[in-house]
Amino acid sequence: MGEQTSQDQYSHGATARDHGVPVPQLTQTLPDGRDHISWMESNVQQLEVALGR
């Protein structure tokens, strides 16, 4: 399953990063080679980092 990200999402991410806003790299679909639990744990970890926790 591949990641579905539009060019518009990339430009918003770059704009946010340019202004010091953390942008977690989340996917909408299960990445190849990952199981559901490790995928969700990674998403939670990225959100915690972005929120400064």
Side-chain angles (χ1 to χ4, degrees):
M1 296 180 196
E3 183 178 341
Q4 298 177 3
T5 306
S6 71
Q7 185 60 36
D8 191 44
Q9 287 172 308
Y10 283 121
S11 64
H12 289 303
T15 301
R17 279 188 292 278
D18 291 345
H19 289 88
V21 178
V23 180
Q25 299 297 309
L26 306 176
T27 61
Q28 294 179 358
T29 57
L30 181 65
D32 291 335
R34 302 291 298 266
D35 62 36
H36 186 78
I37 298 296
S38 67
W39 172 45
M40 287 293 106
E41 287 175 337
S42 174
N43 287 343
V44 169
Q45 182 180 35
Q46 288 186 62
L47 291 170
E48 287 176 336
V49 169
L51 294 170
R53 296 183 180 179

